[in-house]
Amino acid sequence: MRGRRAFIAGLVLLVAVVGAKAGAEGRAARTLSTEGLAKVSDYIRNEVAAGKIPGAILLLQQYGKPVYYENFGVRDVGTQISMSADTIFRLYSMSKPITSVVAMMLVEEGRLSLDDPVSKYIPAFAGMKVGIERKAADGKVSLMLEPQQRPITIKDLLRHTAGLPYGFRGGGLVREVHAAADLFNSDLSNAGFVAKLATLPLAEQPGTVWTYGFATDVLGRVVEVVSGKTLLQFEKERLLDPLGMTETAFYVADPARFARIAEPMPEDRSISPTTAVRDIRRPVRWESGAGMVGTIGDYARFAQMLLNGGTYEGRRYLKPETIALMVSDHIGPETKIVRDRMYYPGESSGFGLGFAMRTSVPPGTSWPLGEYRWDGVAGTFFFIDPEDDLFGIFMAQTPSQRGRIQLELKTLIYQAMGR
């Protein structure tokens, strides 16, 4: 009965998301079995009971309608307030698709081109050098700098081939330099952030290696330069407010909403040895392309717009061909782009303009080709499956358990569809 009440409550709270999908009637469709969904619920409930996570929310929506919605556990073990649809989560890199979409709006309008050099908008990027490790005869490794063989482009920012890594210790000399700069813990404006980043070496020549890092943050600054507005102002004007994503921002400004913030387990607040989960009650100047907060209902509107081919409730945000371009593989074998050792999309996936997408079927499954997705370091993830007219959003706050949970949960969801 509790699960049934939660499902009904979810339908009511997410009623704004519901809309019949044109052309859905009469289609042969895979559906999610009751038995399979029960296993999904049991899995998440067991994660909560085992103390791995405080709580979570899962939404599965097919043909424009929620087919599964359930809240699990609590927002915060300190307050013991139950998880609910208005809970606010740190999205982290699940913000990157949002930044990518608003950038592609500018591309559609002819105000930005995928082939534009980033230096057209941020001149300091023209002078960035590529860091190369050289080993001397005595075995000592030093960092040498060489010019860019070609400029970093807007497309490089969207597909993570700009050579702009996240810094961490033990990842090579370039990443050590970036780690020492401590960009994650600085509170610069977007302009100040890219100015500091431009003084650091690139990890590779532009367009040669998929390297995850600050590319989308730079893209956010490009959006500011082109639009003449702050990133949040432009996002609110063109995407967030029209979609009804009223809870999505870069921090929680209203103290009355603080009790709605989801928190990880007290011992699970480290993103890296030097960076902790951010306190989103504190105002920030850095409107990071990867640093938003929001609710599951807000993100559901965004996901449904993408699944609809760029429209939502009668308003067009992007053309269908733009969405198709974004979810096509832009780092396939023909590009000769190398995947770095931490290639997060995995062996069966390529990467487009803001999303990973499935390019081959994992062994032992019939997972759909063309499924696209991304996640956030705090524990959230989403996927969009055009073949089944389905999307899923999982919201939790758990840096340490996120990868394991995402894989196991996705497996259970697709098993529930007979995949």
Side-chain angles (χ1 to χ4, degrees), residues 178-207:
H178 280 256
D182 200 22
L183 288 168
F184 270 121
N185 295 314
S186 60
D187 188 20
L188 302 166
S189 66
N190 283 9
F193 171 82
V194 297
K196 186 172 182 179
L197 182 63
T199 67
L200 305 177
L202 299 172
E204 300 92 16
Q205 286 289 345

Short mmCIF file of all heavy atoms in Angstrom, two decimals, residues 178-207:
data_model
loop_
_atom_site.label_atom_id
_atom_site.label_comp_id
_atom_site.label_asym_id
_atom_site.label_seq_id
_atom_site.Cartn_x
_atom_site.Cartn_y
_atom_site.Cartn_z
N HIS A 178 46.96 21.31 -12.64
CA HIS A 178 45.56 21.69 -12.48
C HIS A 178 45.08 21.45 -11.05
O HIS A 178 44.29 22.24 -10.53
CB HIS A 178 44.69 20.91 -13.48
CG HIS A 178 44.72 21.48 -14.85
ND1 HIS A 178 43.69 22.22 -15.38
CD2 HIS A 178 45.68 21.43 -15.83
CE1 HIS A 178 43.98 22.59 -16.61
NE2 HIS A 178 45.19 22.12 -16.92
N ALA A 179 45.54 20.38 -10.43
CA ALA A 179 45.16 20.11 -9.04
C ALA A 179 45.66 21.22 -8.13
O ALA A 179 44.95 21.67 -7.21
CB ALA A 179 45.71 18.76 -8.60
N ALA A 180 46.89 21.68 -8.37
CA ALA A 180 47.47 22.74 -7.54
C ALA A 180 46.70 24.05 -7.71
O ALA A 180 46.62 24.86 -6.77
CB ALA A 180 48.94 22.94 -7.91
N ALA A 181 46.11 24.27 -8.89
CA ALA A 181 45.32 25.49 -9.11
C ALA A 181 44.03 25.49 -8.30
O ALA A 181 43.44 26.55 -8.06
CB ALA A 181 45.01 25.64 -10.59
N ASP A 182 43.55 24.31 -7.89
CA ASP A 182 42.40 24.15 -7.00
C ASP A 182 41.17 24.91 -7.52
O ASP A 182 40.50 25.62 -6.77
CB ASP A 182 42.77 24.64 -5.60
CG ASP A 182 41.84 24.09 -4.53
OD1 ASP A 182 41.20 23.05 -4.78
OD2 ASP A 182 41.73 24.71 -3.45
N LEU A 183 40.87 24.73 -8.80
CA LEU A 183 39.78 25.47 -9.40
C LEU A 183 38.41 25.11 -8.82
O LEU A 183 37.52 25.95 -8.75
CB LEU A 183 39.77 25.23 -10.91
CG LEU A 183 40.91 25.91 -11.68
CD1 LEU A 183 40.97 25.37 -13.11
CD2 LEU A 183 40.74 27.41 -11.69
N PHE A 184 38.24 23.87 -8.38
CA PHE A 184 36.95 23.47 -7.83
C PHE A 184 36.59 24.27 -6.58
O PHE A 184 35.42 24.50 -6.29
CB PHE A 184 36.96 21.98 -7.47
CG PHE A 184 36.51 21.08 -8.59
CD1 PHE A 184 37.34 20.10 -9.09
CD2 PHE A 184 35.26 21.23 -9.16
CE1 PHE A 184 36.94 19.28 -10.13
CE2 PHE A 184 34.83 20.40 -10.20
CZ PHE A 184 35.68 19.43 -10.68
N ASN A 185 37.59 24.63 -5.81
CA ASN A 185 37.34 25.29 -4.54
C ASN A 185 37.49 26.81 -4.61
O ASN A 185 37.49 27.48 -3.58
CB ASN A 185 38.27 24.72 -3.47
CG ASN A 185 37.98 23.26 -3.19
OD1 ASN A 185 36.82 22.88 -3.04
ND2 ASN A 185 39.00 22.42 -3.16
N SER A 186 37.62 27.35 -5.80
CA SER A 186 37.66 28.80 -5.95
C SER A 186 36.26 29.29 -6.23
O SER A 186 35.43 28.57 -6.78
CB SER A 186 38.60 29.18 -7.10
OG SER A 186 38.15 28.61 -8.32
N ASP A 187 35.96 30.51 -5.84
CA ASP A 187 34.64 31.07 -6.11
C ASP A 187 34.81 32.31 -6.99
O ASP A 187 34.59 33.43 -6.58
CB ASP A 187 33.90 31.41 -4.83
CG ASP A 187 32.46 31.83 -5.10
OD1 ASP A 187 31.94 31.48 -6.18
OD2 ASP A 187 31.86 32.50 -4.24
N LEU A 188 35.24 32.06 -8.21
CA LEU A 188 35.43 33.11 -9.19
C LEU A 188 34.16 33.27 -10.01
O LEU A 188 33.32 32.38 -10.06
CB LEU A 188 36.59 32.75 -10.12
CG LEU A 188 37.95 32.51 -9.45
CD1 LEU A 188 38.91 31.84 -10.42
CD2 LEU A 188 38.54 33.82 -8.94
N SER A 189 34.01 34.40 -10.67
CA SER A 189 32.96 34.52 -11.67
C SER A 189 33.33 33.62 -12.85
O SER A 189 34.46 33.12 -12.94
CB SER A 189 32.86 35.97 -12.15
OG SER A 189 34.05 36.34 -12.84
N ASN A 190 32.41 33.41 -13.76
CA ASN A 190 32.73 32.61 -14.94
C ASN A 190 33.88 33.24 -15.72
O ASN A 190 34.75 32.53 -16.23
CB ASN A 190 31.50 32.46 -15.84
CG ASN A 190 30.52 31.44 -15.30
OD1 ASN A 190 30.66 30.95 -14.18
ND2 ASN A 190 29.51 31.11 -16.09
N ALA A 191 33.91 34.57 -15.81
CA ALA A 191 35.00 35.25 -16.50
C ALA A 191 36.32 35.03 -15.78
O ALA A 191 37.36 34.77 -16.40
CB ALA A 191 34.69 36.74 -16.62
N GLY A 192 36.29 35.14 -14.46
CA GLY A 192 37.52 34.92 -13.69
C GLY A 192 37.99 33.49 -13.75
O GLY A 192 39.20 33.22 -13.80
N PHE A 193 37.04 32.56 -13.77
CA PHE A 193 37.40 31.15 -13.85
C PHE A 193 38.14 30.84 -15.14
O PHE A 193 39.20 30.21 -15.13
CB PHE A 193 36.14 30.28 -13.74
CG PHE A 193 36.38 28.83 -14.02
CD1 PHE A 193 36.87 28.00 -13.04
CD2 PHE A 193 36.15 28.30 -15.28
CE1 PHE A 193 37.12 26.65 -13.29
CE2 PHE A 193 36.39 26.97 -15.55
CZ PHE A 193 36.88 26.15 -14.55
N VAL A 194 37.59 31.26 -16.29
CA VAL A 194 38.25 30.92 -17.56
C VAL A 194 39.57 31.66 -17.70
O VAL A 194 40.50 31.16 -18.34
CB VAL A 194 37.33 31.17 -18.77
CG1 VAL A 194 36.10 30.28 -18.71
CG2 VAL A 194 36.95 32.63 -18.91
N ALA A 195 39.67 32.86 -17.10
CA ALA A 195 40.95 33.58 -17.14
C ALA A 195 42.03 32.80 -16.41
O ALA A 195 43.18 32.71 -16.88
CB ALA A 195 40.78 34.97 -16.53
N LYS A 196 41.68 32.21 -15.26
CA LYS A 196 42.65 31.41 -14.52
C LYS A 196 42.95 30.11 -15.25
O LYS A 196 44.12 29.68 -15.34
CB LYS A 196 42.12 31.12 -13.12
CG LYS A 196 43.13 30.41 -12.21
CD LYS A 196 42.63 30.31 -10.78
CE LYS A 196 43.68 29.65 -9.89
NZ LYS A 196 43.22 29.57 -8.47
N LEU A 197 41.93 29.47 -15.79
CA LEU A 197 42.12 28.22 -16.52
C LEU A 197 43.04 28.42 -17.73
O LEU A 197 43.85 27.55 -18.06
CB LEU A 197 40.76 27.68 -16.98
CG LEU A 197 40.74 26.34 -17.72
CD1 LEU A 197 41.25 25.22 -16.83
CD2 LEU A 197 39.33 26.03 -18.22
N ALA A 198 42.92 29.56 -18.38
CA ALA A 198 43.71 29.83 -19.59
C ALA A 198 45.20 29.95 -19.30
O ALA A 198 46.02 29.89 -20.23
CB ALA A 198 43.21 31.10 -20.26
N THR A 199 45.59 30.11 -18.04
CA THR A 199 47.01 30.18 -17.69
C THR A 199 47.63 28.80 -17.49
O THR A 199 48.84 28.69 -17.33
CB THR A 199 47.21 30.99 -16.39
OG1 THR A 199 46.64 30.27 -15.28
CG2 THR A 199 46.57 32.36 -16.49
N LEU A 200 46.80 27.75 -17.52
CA LEU A 200 47.27 26.39 -17.26
C LEU A 200 47.50 25.65 -18.58
O LEU A 200 46.92 26.01 -19.60
CB LEU A 200 46.24 25.64 -16.41
CG LEU A 200 45.84 26.30 -15.08
CD1 LEU A 200 44.77 25.48 -14.37
CD2 LEU A 200 47.05 26.50 -14.18
N PRO A 201 48.31 24.59 -18.57
CA PRO A 201 48.55 23.85 -19.81
C PRO A 201 47.38 22.94 -20.18
O PRO A 201 46.65 22.44 -19.30
CB PRO A 201 49.80 23.02 -19.49
CG PRO A 201 49.77 22.86 -18.00
CD PRO A 201 49.17 24.12 -17.46
N LEU A 202 47.21 22.70 -21.46
CA LEU A 202 46.27 21.71 -21.95
C LEU A 202 46.86 20.32 -21.76
O LEU A 202 48.08 20.14 -21.81
CB LEU A 202 45.97 21.93 -23.43
CG LEU A 202 45.35 23.28 -23.82
CD1 LEU A 202 45.29 23.41 -25.33
CD2 LEU A 202 43.96 23.43 -23.21
N ALA A 203 45.99 19.33 -21.57
CA ALA A 203 46.47 17.95 -21.36
C ALA A 203 46.85 17.28 -22.68
O ALA A 203 47.72 16.40 -22.70
CB ALA A 203 45.41 17.12 -20.65
N GLU A 204 46.21 17.68 -23.77
CA GLU A 204 46.49 17.11 -25.09
C GLU A 204 46.24 18.17 -26.15
O GLU A 204 45.63 19.21 -25.88
CB GLU A 204 45.59 15.90 -25.39
CG GLU A 204 45.70 14.74 -24.44
CD GLU A 204 44.68 14.82 -23.31
OE1 GLU A 204 43.72 15.60 -23.45
OE2 GLU A 204 44.86 14.12 -22.30
N GLN A 205 46.67 17.87 -27.36
CA GLN A 205 46.35 18.72 -28.49
C GLN A 205 44.84 18.71 -28.71
O GLN A 205 44.19 17.67 -28.62
CB GLN A 205 47.07 18.23 -29.75
CG GLN A 205 48.55 18.52 -29.78
CD GLN A 205 48.85 20.01 -29.96
OE1 GLN A 205 47.98 20.80 -30.33
NE2 GLN A 205 50.10 20.38 -29.67
N PRO A 206 44.26 19.86 -29.00
CA PRO A 206 42.81 19.92 -29.23
C PRO A 206 42.36 18.94 -30.32
O PRO A 206 43.03 18.77 -31.34
CB PRO A 206 42.59 21.37 -29.68
CG PRO A 206 43.71 22.13 -29.05
CD PRO A 206 44.89 21.19 -29.05
N GLY A 207 41.23 18.27 -30.04
CA GLY A 207 40.63 17.38 -31.02
C GLY A 207 41.25 16.02 -31.14
O GLY A 207 40.92 15.27 -32.06
#
